[in-house]
Amino acid sequence: QVQLVESGGGLVQAGGSLRLSCAASGRTSSSYAMAWFRQAPGKDRDFVAAISWSSGNTYYSDSVKGRFTISRDNAKNTVDLKMNSLKPEDTAVYYCAARRYSGTFYSEPGRYDYWGQGTQVTVSS
């Protein structure tokens, strides 16, 4: 089992920045891929970004590319999501997720085995 705990959410004005962090514990492995998803009220859970623990390769959704950066700290077992130039449409609950990495990044939530409890991000206009 892998446990994931997100932190760093909050309220920010449009154009501002936030950094989310996901702490992983349990049976973590360098063969995992870590991802961030988000879910706004009444909407589906959408893929945001993913990173490979071992290689550091990354993958972003088009909606956040150039504004968000995903990174990992292998020593601390944490994955961060730095969010810049935030927009009101970025408002959502942000979730950290994990799955075994086979060389392909997946954007479908059903492909991920482990999830955190989520952290709220609210961007005011």
Side-chain angles (χ1 to χ4, degrees):
Q1 287 288 341
V2 175
Q3 292 79 44
L4 304 173
V5 179
E6 303 96 335
S7 61
L11 173 64
V12 64
Q13 288 189 331
S17 299
L18 274 178
R19 179 184 291 271
L20 306 182
S21 187
C22 173
S25 61
R27 301 184 68 175
T28 58
S29 167
S30 61
S31 64
Y32 275 65
M34 305 295 294
W36 286 94
F37 286 78
R38 64 187 182 186
Q39 188 167 19
K43 296 191 176 181
D44 293 336
R45 190 168 296 190
D46 292 332
F47 173 80
V48 174
I51 189 167
S52 163
W53 268 124
S54 57
S55 67
N57 289 343
T58 58
Y59 177 57
Y60 294 92
S61 70
D62 289 342
S63 62
V64 307
K65 199 175 296 182
R67 299 189 299 124
F68 292 10
T69 302
I70 189 170
S71 61
R72 93 284 194 216
D73 186 326
N74 289 7
K76 296 181 180 179
N77 265 9
T78 57
V79 175
D80 285 0
L81 184 70
K82 181 65 188 304
M83 305 183 294
N84 295 325
S85 303
L86 283 161
K87 306 174 182 180
E89 51 263 44
D90 294 317
T91 295
V93 177
Y94 283 70
Y95 296 92
C96 179
R99 61 160 282 131
R100 290 201 176 273
Y101 181 57
S102 58
T104 301
F105 287 117
Y106 294 97
S107 59
E108 299 88 350
R111 295 276 194 173
Y112 289 78
D113 301 310
Y114 304 102
W115 292 86
Q117 82 289 350
T119 185
Q120 176 70 46
V121 171
T122 303
V123 184
S124 63
S125 57

